[in-house]
Amino acid sequence: MKYIVTIFFAGVFVVIAGLLYLYSEVRFDAYKIIDYHPKLSTQIYDRNGELIANIFEKHHRLYATYEEIPARVIEALVAIEDTSFFEHDGVNFEAIFRAFIKDVKAMKIVEGASTITQQLVKNAVLTREKKVVRKLKEILLAFKIERELSKEQILERYFNQVYFGHGYYGIKTAALGYFHKNLDALSLKEIAMLVGLPRAPSAYDPTRNIDLSLSRANRVLYRMKALGWISDKEYRKGIGEQPLVFDDTLTKNRAPYVVDEVIKRASKRYEDLKTGGYKIYLGIDLRLQRLARESLKFGYDEIFKRHPDSNSSILNGALVSLDSKSGDILAMVGGVDYKTSHFNRAVQSKRQPGSSFKPFIYQKALDLGYSTMSEIPDISRVYTDKKTAKDWKPKNYEENFNGLLTLKEALVHSRNLATINLVNALGLDTVYRALKKEGFKNLPYDLSIALGSFGISPLEFSGFYSMFPNYGVKVEPILIKKIVDRFGDETIFESQKQRLVSPEQAFLMVDILRTVVQRGTGRKAQVKGIETAGKTGTTNKNIDAWFCGFTPEIEVLAWYGNDDNSPMKKYETGGRVAGPAFAHFVKEYIKMFPQTKRKFSEPDGVTKRTINGRREYFTQTSPLPKTNQFEENEKGGMLF
C-alpha cells in the first residue's frame, strides 16, 4: 500500500511538474491575446467616402469592437460552437469527456471539445495540429485567458482573430467581403454562414462551395431553433434564404495607379502603413477616375485608328485632373493599362512639355509690360552658342514665318520663332530667373527654354498650370487629404498655395488660352456648352504630345508618347492626340456635374476693346500699345 501511495503521489508530482513546465513554455503567449493588437488593414477612400482599396501586409483584417457585433451574431456562434460559453471557466470538461470516449472508440482523435476560448488560443498562438501536448497547452492558456479577460473581451478577440476563408480575417472583414454589408445589416442566414465558417474555412467558403456553406448555415439555424433562440418563423425564413455572395479580390483596388502613389507617399510618414489600420481619405473622385481611364483610352484608340501599325507595346499616355481652387487631384491615370505596365507616367515619367510650356514665357512678357497686342517678330535667325561656337537655327512647326505678329496670335498659333525672339528680347537671364523662382527645375540656360526643352511629370506640370484657371495662384496638387489612425487621431494635409501673378494679369493669359481652343492649335479641345482653355505641346519629331487645359473649375492635362522616347507617327501633335482626350473628359464631366461653372469670370482691373472685330483685354500693367513695343525693347540682340 505504501508503494502504491508513493507511486500515486509521484505520478501526481510528475503531472503537476509537467503542467508547470508546459505552462512556463506558453505563459507569455497569453499576453498576445490579453494585450491584443493585431495587424490591421489600411483602407483608402475617395472624396465621397467610397472605398478605393484595402492595403495590408499578409492578412486582410478589419477590426470590430464588441459594441459593433450584433447580439444575433454572438448567439449564433455560441449555439453552434460552445453553448455553455458563459458558464464555464475556459474549458468544458464534460464535453472533453464525451470527446475522449469517441476518440478511444475510434483509436484516434476524431472529435475535439474546444470552447470558444480554446479556439481563440488555438487561432492566436498555437498550431491546429491534433496532439495531446498542444491540447494541454491550449487548456492551460484558456484558463489564464478566462482569469484575465471578461467574456465580452474574449468574444471581441475571437471575432477579430479567426479566419473566415477567402483571405478574410475577422468577421467584419468577412461580412464586407462576402456580402458587402456591415455587421448590423446582416440577415440571419448571412450570420449563420459566417459563424459556421471558422470550423473549416476553405471547405465552407461560399465563393467556392456554396452548397456546403448553406448546409453548414442551416445546421447553425437548426441549433439556434433547438435552443429556443429563434422562432419557427425565423427558422423557416432563414432556411429558405440564399444570400448574394460576392467573389471580390482582397484589395478591391479600383485605382491602382493612385493607390501605388498613396502607399509611396504615406509610407514615408507611417512605417506601419499596411498594418496600422489607418483610414486614408483622398481628393480623388472614383467617378472621375473611371472617366480619366476612359478618356485616356479614347485618345489612345484614336491613334490606332489613324495608324494601325503603331507599336502598342511602347505607346502610352497619362492624364491628370485637378480641382483648380483646392489643388485636389480628382483623377490620376499613369498609363493605358495597369495590368500591362505598373509604371506611373503621371508621376514617374519626366517628359518635355514642348510648346505647352510657352504660356509661362508669355506670362512673363505680360507682367513686364507687354500687352496681348504687342508685336513680336516671327522670323528666322541663327543663334550661336558662345561655348561651342555651334549654330542653332530653330524653325516653326509649319516651317514658315509670318513677320510681325501680336503676342496673342503668336501663342494662339504656337509660333516657335516668335517665342524664341520674345525670350531674346526679354533677356534670357530675366526669364530664367523668374521661372526658377516660380519653382521650375532642370531648366536649360539657353534659348531652347522657349520650346520647353526640359523634363517634367504631368502631375508636377499640373501644379504650375493651376496658376491660370486660379487667376494667378499656383496650388500644389494634393493627393491625400486626411489620414485617421485606429484611435481616431487625424492628420490633415492641405495644399500649399502661392500667388505668382495678379488676377487681372492671369486673366490675360486665360483669354489667350481660351482663344487657343476657339481658333488656334487646340481646336479639338472644344466642348459644346462650356468655355475651355489650354495649350497644345508637341516636341521635336512628335516624341511628346500634350494638351494642358482647363475649364472655369477644373484642370485636365493629357500626355501621349512612346515609353522609349522614340517618335510617334508624323502629324501626331498635341492638338490632334491629346486634345480629344481632354474634350472627352470635359464633355462627360459636365454631364456628371451640370451645375459646374461654364464661363470664365473677368476680374477687376481688366478692360476690353474691340479691335479688328475681336474683343481684346488690357490692364494697367499691360495697356493697349501705342508703338511697336518689341522694336523698342529689342536693341542690342543676344547670342544663344
Side-chain angles (χ1 to χ4, degrees), residues 352-363 396-398 407-416 419 450-452 461 465 468-469 509-526 532-539 544-551 555-560 573-580 582 600:
Q352 291 193 12
S355 295
S356 63
F357 182 66
K358 289 175 181 175
F360 300 95
I361 303 287
Y362 283 73
Q363 185 71 61
N396 288 319
Y397 183 82
E398 298 85 353
L407 183 144
K408 182 176 184 178
E409 291 304 306
L411 185 54
V412 165
H413 298 288
S414 197
R415 305 296 287 183
N416 291 342
T419 307
L451 305 182
F461 204 27
Y465 248 89
F468 302 128
M509 183 54 62
V510 170
D511 177 58
I512 295 175
L513 297 180
R514 176 171 56 184
T515 308
V516 169
V517 175
Q518 291 171 347
R519 57 181 178 81
T521 58
R523 289 186 295 275
K524 290 186 178 295
Q526 294 177 7
T532 59
K535 183 67 184 73
T536 57
T538 311
T539 58
D544 297 284
W546 297 75
F547 187 79
C548 305
F550 51 91
T551 73
E555 180 184 338
V556 182
L557 270 70
W559 165 86
Y560 291 89
T573 63
R576 192 181 194 194
V577 175
F582 168 90
F600 294 106

Side-chain angles (χ1 to χ4, degrees), residues 449-466:
I449 194 174
L451 305 182
S453 60
F454 65 99
I456 192 169
S457 73
L459 180 60
E460 185 181 4
F461 204 27
S462 69
F464 288 102
Y465 248 89
S466 67

